[in-house]
Amino acid sequence: MLTLVAVFAPLIGAIASALFRPIASKGAAILQSILFMLVSAVAGVATLVVALHTGTPAPLHLFTWVSVGGFTPDWSLRQDMLSLVMVAMVSVVSTVIHIYSIGYMAHDENRPRFFTYMSLFTFAMLMLVTANNLLQLFFGWEGVGLVSYLLINYWYERKAANEAALKAFIVNRVGDLAFAVGIALTYFVFGTIQFDGIFQAVTAHAADSYTLFGQSLPVLEIIGILLFIGAMGKSAQLFLHTWLPDAMEGPTPISALINAATMVAAGVFMIVRFSPLLDAAPVALQVITIIGASTAFFAGTIGCVQNDIKRVIAYSTCSQLGYMFLAAGVGAYPVAIFHLINHAFFKALLFLSAGSVIHAMADEQDIRLMGGLWKKIPFTWLMLLIGSLALAGLPPFAGFYSKDAILDAAFAANTGISLYGFWMGVITAGLTAFYSTRLLLLVFHGPSRAPKHVHDHAHESPLVMLAPLAVLACGAVAGGFLLRNAFIGDASGAFWGSSIVLEPNSVMSQLENLPYWADHATLIAALIGIGIGVLFYVVAPGLPARLAQSFRPLYLFLLNKWYFDELYDWLFVRPAVKIARAFWRYGDEQIIDGVPNGLAAATSELASGAAKLQTGSIAVYALVMLIGLLAFVSFFFLWVR
């Protein structure tokens, strides 16, 4: 019952806020959303605590959703440990962001709409993580996609927000198409979309094949890759990543919610949920490993040169999600969830701290126009420092434990592809530490580069914005240490139960048996990255500009995000616009509109000509009648003949 409350309380809050907004004050509408979110958070944590003491309950059946022949999927809430951990995380982090938004959105005229969207977004994610079948999962999946469009485009009067929202929606449709085909193929093979039915029949269908493009391929591999392509879209992996940085056009609390607790986490969760099937699809796991490791490195390189404070953090999200898929690809599913939970806390902390900086700097987001802020906003500085250290993976912060475990698992898997993932992960750890240091130093240290009046008026955010930062900082500091044993340690088997299936000889059993250098490679790389950051921006602050000038093609390559947007514009956008313009000019204007308009014009001209015959002259009328009579008589005699 507590799970039911945790999942549906945000929906009730969203509906109440929307219904009462016309008749209640703005403050009352906002209060309704926040109260129901608090209820959801308390119920979500309580459900997890109860499950730890009494065991996880069976799925909670609500009703039969569809009944068509033998196809009768029900709507029920799955309550295994994987779902309950996600419910607790999503509800808590979302509630903290809701509270923070009271201060951040205080001067926005439409903030009740903002809170309604936020609560609806949270509900969609909670429905996704408690889904008990693929149809229900797809409902939550598309729900977060739809509401993300509304949130990114919240300031809809801005052209950049319109374009960013459309981009997110369209790019995700590419992944969602593959996901939908994967769901259909799963039903075709297994005859069910219920998770338990699918997972129990994996062994029976392990040898099945499916003919694709004239080739007979293992069907589980095809399903695994199709599902992963869907996850690539939601979790912004390489090739389907371009929407995430542009999504920063939405308000900062939305950036925090999308990047930390909801939308981007959906893909990782779905892959871990399907661990029983993916364990029987080794090629799909190899694809996941390669894409995850490549994404981590790719996004890390771009984060090193970005200048918008939110975009730097957004690319770090893309990179950290790559780490999570790397863990899943080598079979360390609990480690992927461990990093997902840790990441939710320190990434929300980073975004909300960035929002506090933006609030202090009169909405300025360019880190080149900041500096010297640590004395002006010391608490925000401390919070961003904690988030940055957790992101960089330094002990004892949360990111250290999970990131270190991911690379340990990649090394322990000991295959060519897993070692590729290990080395990409180590290099990315150094890049992450570098751009985290760069961000911190450029924003808070050194001389101020902001206009004098902006710097002079910089001030700390109100308590309603700072208190949520302190809550998230606790998770960023202690989450890794507190959760490590239960999530990936000796107690992990009992903790996860059957929610995550692991083979007896999986890499999880080898995490403690690594060479000293491999076990400490992440920390060494992070320290090197921090050292280079200090060298560039404290010891020799002119060095970055000289390097950018000396290696200008490389610098522009990274600054322009590997030219993916330009490439996609050339490959897809421009041809689509040309085709659409051709259909508009020749199909719409000349055929669809042209034929009816032409007939209408001809009819009008004919009518105008006929009207000219109406002269009012009896002689003219008699002549016309005579001509008509002669024509009729002539036709009659010709016809008779």
Side-chain angles (χ1 to χ4, degrees):
M1 190 63 182
L2 286 172
T3 307
L4 186 68
V5 173
V7 171
F8 282 94
L11 176 63
I12 297 171
I15 294 173
S17 179
L19 291 178
F20 288 100
R21 186 175 62 176
I23 60 176
S25 66
K26 292 180 179 179
I30 294 169
L31 183 61
Q32 287 173 334
S33 294
I34 292 175
L35 286 177
F36 280 104
M37 281 307 310
L38 285 168
V39 170
S40 175
V42 171
V45 174
T47 305
L48 180 60
V49 172
V50 170
L52 289 173
H53 288 85
T54 63
T56 54
L60 178 62
H61 177 78
L62 301 180
F63 53 85
T64 298
W65 192 4
V66 179
S67 182
V68 180
F71 184 68
T72 56
D74 63 347
W75 190 309
S76 56
L77 303 182
R78 196 173 184 88
Q79 301 183 93
D80 61 8
M81 191 54 67
L82 177 59
S83 288
L84 296 183
V85 165
M86 292 296 295
V87 167
M89 182 275 289
V90 171
S91 59
V92 169
V93 174
S94 183
T95 300
V96 171
I97 295 173
H98 270 71
I99 295 171
Y100 174 93
S101 301
I102 297 173
Y104 192 85
M105 303 297 291
H107 301 294
D108 189 90
E109 290 298 321
N110 299 306
R111 55 190 181 277
R113 173 167 62 89
F114 176 82
F115 281 87
T116 299
Y117 289 168
M118 288 252 288
S119 295
L120 196 60
F121 196 44
T122 305
F123 165 71
M125 186 65 186
L126 291 171
M127 283 304 310
L128 190 156
V129 299
T130 55
N132 199 37
N133 59 60
L134 279 167
L135 187 59
Q136 192 178 338
L137 177 68
F138 195 69
F139 171 84
W141 192 270
E142 293 302 309
V144 295
L146 172 62
V147 186
S148 70
Y149 171 83
L150 300 174
L151 289 168
I152 297 168
N153 200 29
Y154 175 73
W155 287 318
Y156 55 82
E157 68 278 2
R158 300 180 182 178
K159 182 182 178 182
N162 302 157
E163 293 173 346
L166 281 172
K167 189 175 185 179
F169 195 80
I170 292 169
V171 172
N172 272 274
R173 296 293 74 73
V174 176
D176 292 353
L177 175 61
F179 186 44
V181 174
I183 292 174
L185 184 58
T186 301
Y187 180 72
F188 176 77
V189 172
F190 292 93
T192 181
I193 58 171
Q194 296 293 129
F195 290 153
D196 290 337
I198 295 169
F199 300 155
Q200 291 168 6
V202 165
T203 303
H205 293 279
D208 290 2
S209 61
Y210 187 79
T211 302
L212 186 66
F213 304 123
Q215 298 292 322
S216 182
L217 302 172
V219 71
L220 297 187
E221 301 285 9
I222 298 174
I223 292 173
I225 291 173
L226 287 171
L227 295 180
F228 175 60
I229 294 173
M232 286 172 63
K234 276 290 180 288
S235 294
Q237 293 299 281
L238 188 61
F239 305 117
L240 295 179
H241 67 280
T242 54
W243 67 270
L244 184 59
D246 289 2
M248 300 305 101
E249 291 296 334
T252 299
I254 299 309
S255 303
L257 196 58
I258 289 176
N259 282 264
T262 52
M263 189 166 171
V264 298
V268 178
F269 167 80
M270 186 266 287
I271 290 298
V272 174
R273 170 61 77 199
F274 273 84
S275 57
L277 186 149
L278 290 170
D279 267 352
V283 175
L285 288 178
Q286 291 174 355
V287 172
I288 294 171
T289 302
I290 293 171
I291 295 293
S294 301
T295 303
F297 172 75
F298 153 79
T301 61
I302 297 175
C304 291
V305 298
Q306 294 300 301
N307 298 311
D308 184 299
I309 187 171
K310 288 172 63 176
R311 287 179 182 260
V312 173
I313 303 173
Y315 274 108
S316 78
T317 298
C318 193
S319 183
Q320 297 305 303
L321 289 165
Y323 273 112
M324 298 175 208
F325 282 111
L326 169 59
V330 299
Y333 305 107
V335 178
I337 294 297
F338 185 33
H339 196 52
L340 186 153
I341 300 299
N342 288 337
H343 176 263
F345 284 100
F346 66 71
K347 187 50 57 71
L349 175 61
L350 283 169
F351 266 110
L352 298 189
S353 298
S356 185
V357 172
I358 295 168
H359 179 269
M361 294 294 292
D363 295 331
E364 179 59 65
Q365 295 184 199
D366 192 330
I367 60 177
R368 294 171 297 182
L369 300 178
M370 298 181 187
L373 286 176
W374 76 274
K375 290 183 180 179
K376 292 281 187 176
I377 46 175
F379 188 81
T380 300
W381 167 79
L382 178 61
M383 295 298 100
L384 194 64
L385 174 64
I386 292 173
S388 298
L389 292 174
L391 173 63
L394 292 185
F397 299 94
F400 166 75
Y401 294 94
S402 49
K403 190 185 294 185
D404 188 63
I406 290 171
L407 297 184
D408 285 353
F411 188 86
N414 198 29
T415 66
I417 291 176
S418 72
L419 291 177
Y420 166 78
F422 171 79
W423 286 113
M424 285 292 99
V426 170
I427 295 170
T428 304
L431 296 173
T432 305
F434 169 75
Y435 64 67
S436 298
T437 305
R438 173 179 179 263
L439 178 67
L440 196 70
L441 293 175
L442 286 179
V443 171
F444 289 103
H445 298 277
S448 173
R449 297 172 299 279
K452 188 175 185 304
H453 71 279
V454 174
H455 181 78
D456 290 345
H457 288 86
H459 58 280
E460 196 65 91
S461 300
L463 182 62
V464 74
M465 292 173 63
L466 298 181
L469 300 184
V471 173
L472 294 170
C474 292
V477 172
F481 173 77
L482 294 177
L483 299 177
R484 183 179 184 278
N485 189 52
F487 275 50
I488 64 171
D490 295 336
S492 61
F495 179 81
W496 293 113
S498 60
S499 65
I500 299 178
V501 176
L502 290 171
E503 297 294 332
N505 58 346
S506 71
V507 294
M508 294 299 298
S509 61
Q510 306 171 41
L511 295 182
E512 304 299 329
N513 301 319
L514 271 68
Y516 182 86
W517 70 268
D519 191 34
H520 291 78
T522 312
L523 179 58
I524 294 169
L527 293 174
I528 292 173
I530 292 172
I532 295 174
V534 172
L535 172 65
F536 278 19
Y537 297 100
V538 176
V539 178
L543 186 57
R546 292 198 297 271
L547 288 175
Q549 188 63 36
S550 300
F551 300 95
R552 189 159 183 78
L554 176 61
Y555 173 72
L556 292 176
F557 180 71
L558 299 179
L559 187 65
N560 288 284
K561 303 160 286 189
W562 290 32
Y563 293 104
F564 266 100
D565 283 308
E566 289 79 4
L567 177 63
Y568 287 175
D569 183 66
W570 179 72
L571 281 177
F572 304 116
V573 178
R574 292 183 188 177
V577 170
K578 288 181 180 178
I579 293 171
R581 191 167 289 152
F583 276 113
W584 163 54
R585 286 179 176 173
Y586 302 108
D588 190 41
E589 285 192 338
Q590 296 188 16
I591 298 176
I592 297 175
D593 287 340
V595 172
N597 290 344
L599 291 174
T603 304
S604 178
E605 291 176 3
L606 183 62
S608 297
K612 292 177 181 178
L613 297 175
Q614 306 300 318
T615 63
S617 172
I618 295 176
V620 172
Y621 293 160
L623 177 62
V624 171
M625 292 174 63
L626 180 61
I627 292 172
L629 179 62
L630 289 174
F632 176 75
V633 171
S634 300
F635 175 77
F636 177 77
F637 281 112
L638 289 173
W639 179 264
V640 170
R641 178 179 291 182

